[in-house]
Amino acid sequence: MSTVAEGRPAGRSTAATPEERGSVRLALRNPRWLKTEVLAGLVVALALIPEAIAFSVIAGVDPRLGLFASFTMAVTTAVLGGRPAMISAATGAVALVIAPLVASHGIDHFLAAVILAGVFQVVLALVGAARLMRFVPRSVMVGFVNALAILIFSSQVPELLGVPWAVYPLTALGLLVVFLLPRLTTVVPAPLVAIVVITALVVALGTDVPTVGDKGELPESLPVLLLPDVPLTLETFRIIAPFSLTMALVGLMESLMTAKLVDDITDTRSDKTRESWAQGVANTVTGLFGGMGGCAMIGQTMINVKASGARTRISTFLAGVFLLVLVVSLGEVVAVIPMAALVAIMIFVSWATFDWHSVRPSTLRRMPLPETLVMVSTVVVTVWTHNLALGVVVGVLVAMIAFARRVAHFVRVDREVVVQDGEPVARYTVHGELFFASSNDLYTMFDYAGDPQRVVIDFEDSHLWDASTVAALDSVTDKYAHYGTDVRITGLNQASRRMRVRLGGLLNQDH
C-alpha cells in the first residue's frame, strides 16, 4: 500500500509521532522530510567550518585537524550513535584539555592521546558510565542549558569587536531573517537563507568584512589513515593517559548532557550507552585519520534540531559529508561567506537554547531556594571556567548537599513511657531514613539519664542505610549500657537487620 502525507501508511492519522519522525526509512520515503534533513545538514556543515578552525587554533594545531575531526566524528556517530540528529565534531572543551600536550610533546603524542581517549570512552560505556546520567537533577540540566546559551553568545562577541561597521547591519539583517522567516515559511531553513542572502549581498557590493577564509587555510585533500609516530612504551602511556582520560570524561559528559537535551526537545528517548561507545569509536577513528577528536556540539546540534527541524541520522551524516565536500572541493566559495551570517545564526541559537521560563520572576518565586541555587551554581561555574563538565559536576554536588540537608531533618524520634509487667518502660519510635547525614543527630535524641531501666527503640518506620547509622546506633546502646539500662531494638527490616548484624560492635571499638 502506498503511503500518504508524512510518510505514514494509508488509513492512519497523518500526524507523525516523534519516533516516526526520527526514522531514516520514513524520511527517505518522504520528500519533505528528506529535504529538511539535507538542508539542515548543509547549514550545520557551514556553521561547523569556522568553529572547527577556531578550535584548532585553541588546541595549537593545523586547522585541517579540526576540520577532519568534524567530518569523521559526524559521520561515525551518525552511523553508530544512540542519539539521532545530534552533531558531534571538534569542540572547544576537548581543545582546551588537549592543548598543553600539543605544546609539550607535539602532534604525534596528541593524536595518540585522541585514540586512547576513544578507547577509554568505549571502556567507560561498557562499565555503565552512561547510567550515571540518572543522577543529574533537572535543575542542573536547566543550569547546563542556560550556561551553554551564555557561552554560545559570548563566543560570538569577539566577532563583533574591532570589525568594519558593515558587520553590524549585516548581522542585524541575519538576525531578522532567522527570527522572522520561520513565521512566514519553513520550506527552507532560515539559517541557510541568512547565509545565502548575506553572502550574495557582500559579494555584490564588494564589501570588505571578515569571512570564513580569514579563520585559516582550508584543506585541499582528503584525510588519510595514519598511525602516530610514538614509541609504544609505558612512558608514552604515562604521558598521554592523563590527557586522554580527562578528554574522555569531558567528552562523554558533554555528549550525554546534549543527548538528554535533544531527548527533551524531540520527545524521544536515546540509547545513552550506545552513544557513549560510539563517541569512543568516533574519537579513535578521528585520531587514526589525523583529527583532533571531539564530542557532541550543543550549538550545532541546536542549529540542526531546533533551527532547522532535523530529526534523523541523515542530517548528521550529511553534515559531515557536506563539510568535507565544501572545504576540499568548494573551499574558495566557502571562504567568502561573511562571518556576520554565522554570528547571527549562533546568536539566534543562544537565544533559542536559553530556558527563559526558568528565570521568570513568577517561576523563581515558586521554585524552592535550593533548586534555584543548584541552577545558579551550575551556570556560574560553567561560565566562569568555560568548562561545561566542571559546571555539571559542581551543580550535582550542590544538589546532593542540598538533598542531604533536606533529608537530614526528616528523621523524628517520638518518646513515651508505658508500664509493662508493673515496670515503667521508655518506648522510642524512630521515623525517617537514616544515613550519614540524618543519623548524626540520632545520638542526641534520647534521655539517657532520665529513662527508666528498660528502653525499647522501634525502627519499624525507619531504615538503616549505611555504616554511619550503625555506628550511631551502637553509640546509643553503649551510652545506655553506661547507665545500666536494658535496651531492646525492634522493628528493623531485613536489610537493616543484616547490616547491623554484620557491622554492629565493630565501628566504635577503638573509641
Side-chain angles (χ1 to χ4, degrees), residues 68 142 157 193:
F68 289 160
V142 172
V157 172
V193 174

Side-chain angles (χ1 to χ4, degrees), residues 157-222:
V157 172
E159 303 292 343
L160 299 174
L161 300 177
V163 294
W165 69 268
V167 169
Y168 302 110
L170 290 172
T171 303
L173 175 61
L175 289 171
L176 287 174
V177 172
V178 294
F179 274 98
L180 300 181
L181 184 61
R183 299 184 180 183
L184 302 176
T185 179
T186 56
V187 173
V188 181
L192 181 58
V193 174
I195 292 172
V196 172
V197 169
I198 293 176
T199 302
L201 187 61
V202 168
V203 172
L205 298 178
T207 308
D208 183 19
V209 293
T211 63
V212 170
D214 296 330
K215 287 292 183 180
E217 184 180 352
L218 301 179
E220 298 178 352
S221 61
L222 298 174

Side-chain angles (χ1 to χ4, degrees), residues 440-459:
N440 282 336
D441 295 332
L442 185 66
Y443 179 80
T444 66
M445 295 180 176
F446 299 88
D447 185 4
Y448 302 101
D451 279 339
Q453 292 299 301
R454 292 175 59 193
V455 172
V456 176
I457 305 177
D458 185 4
F459 285 89

Side-chain angles (χ1 to χ4, degrees), residues 345-359:
I345 294 172
M346 296 307 291
I347 291 175
F348 168 75
V349 168
S350 69
W351 177 86
T353 301
F354 196 90
D355 187 349
W356 297 101
H357 176 74
S358 67
V359 295

Side-chain angles (χ1 to χ4, degrees), residues 51-67 90 95 292:
E51 295 277 330
I53 296 174
F55 296 147
S56 299
V57 173
I58 292 173
V61 299
D62 189 286
R64 289 176 296 181
L65 272 70
L67 292 167
M292 63 176 282

Side-chain angles (χ1 to χ4, degrees), residues 442-443 446 448 457 471-481 487:
L442 185 66
Y443 179 80
F446 299 88
Y448 302 101
I457 305 177
L473 185 55
D474 284 349
S475 297
V476 171
T477 56
D478 290 345
K479 188 70 171 179
Y480 273 120
V487 180

